[in-house]
Amino acid sequence: MKQMKKLTITIGFSIVLLLVFAYHTPIKNTENLTTHALFTNHMVLQQQQDVPIWGKADPKTEVFIKASWGEEAKTVSDTEGNWKTAISTPIAGGPYEIEIGAVEQSIFLSDVMIGEVWLASGQSNMEMPLTGFLPKEPVENYKAEVADADHPLIRMFTVSRSVSLSPKTAVSGEWLVCSPKNAQHFSAT
């Protein structure tokens, strides 16, 4: 009888421990870590600033950022999975790498430059590519300009056209490094 009572207490205690452990163990399966479209390989970040970086993850997930220039930042995603933090940038230079991670998933960004970021906006004057609007409106001397466009420190992110009746938080586009291959897509301005 004494042995049966001891076994019952041991089993009961084991179940309580198991429940406590299961309740307090974080879920280790984050498959939803993303960054905003601006934060990709070849991007340029403004020098000597606390630069915001944001994206999505599973709700209430800790997200960290580690930059190869020695800065780190952490944040926790909100109940909808949105996260945002800032990381301090050095003086102009690079290329650098950035790791953005959450639980068991990481995003690695390479060829990141630190420098001056300029926002340019307009209509057809900003949209016109270096080649011009072919075939009827070419830019004078565009073939030579494109062929000589070997400037790997210059990068451009063009936001793809999108019509919407309400404000948008997401964009599509990509960072292009200035090269003879990509320069034809750069704004002629």
Side-chain angles (χ1 to χ4, degrees):
M1 187 69 154
K2 207 175 190 184
Q3 205 171 21
M4 181 88 143
K5 189 175 180 182
K6 193 174 181 181
L7 182 61
T8 303
I9 291 172
T10 303
I11 291 173
F13 183 73
S14 297
I15 291 172
V16 169
L17 276 178
L18 182 62
L19 289 174
V20 168
F21 181 75
Y23 181 76
H24 288 290
T25 302
I27 297 172
K28 295 280 188 182
N29 188 14
T30 300
E31 298 293 330
N32 299 315
L33 179 65
T34 61
T35 60
H36 186 277
L38 292 171
F39 307 110
T40 63
N41 295 332
H42 316 299
M43 71 179 171
V44 179
L45 298 176
Q46 181 63 41
Q47 69 172 325
Q48 298 179 308
Q49 297 289 318
D50 288 336
V51 175
I53 297 178
W54 64 93
K56 302 272 282 174
D58 290 336
K60 299 294 183 186
T61 298
E62 186 175 276
V63 177
F64 70 85
I65 298 176
K66 293 180 183 177
S68 64
W69 61 85
E71 292 292 325
E72 296 183 8
K74 287 184 182 178
T75 190
V76 176
S77 61
D78 64 19
T79 56
E80 294 179 8
N82 299 305
W83 61 267
K84 182 178 182 179
T85 189
I87 192 159
S88 296
T89 56
I91 61 171
Y96 294 104
E97 289 79 37
I98 297 176
E99 178 185 6
I100 301 169
V103 189
E104 294 180 352
Q105 185 181 9
S106 289
I107 297 169
F108 295 94
L109 306 179
S110 63
D111 191 34
V112 174
M113 298 302 293
I114 307 296
E116 292 298 314
V117 177
W118 295 79
L119 299 178
S121 175
Q123 294 178 351
S124 60
N125 59 336
M126 291 305 299
E127 183 180 24
M128 183 172 63
L130 186 55
T131 57
F133 292 123
L134 298 175
K136 295 182 181 182
E137 300 174 22
V139 169
E140 187 176 320
N141 202 29
Y142 79 90
K143 289 181 182 177
E145 293 297 330
V146 169
D148 292 339
D150 187 18
H151 308 287
L153 299 180
I154 298 175
R155 282 91 191 283
M156 184 168 174
F157 185 95
T158 301
V159 176
S160 299
R161 280 186 176 195
S162 178
V163 177
S164 176
L165 297 175
S166 60
K168 297 180 86 170
T169 58
V171 298
S172 62
E174 68 177 314
W175 285 96
L176 295 177
V177 176
C178 186
S179 68
K181 176 185 171 191
N182 294 327
Q184 63 188 336
H185 305 294
F186 278 46
S187 171
T189 301

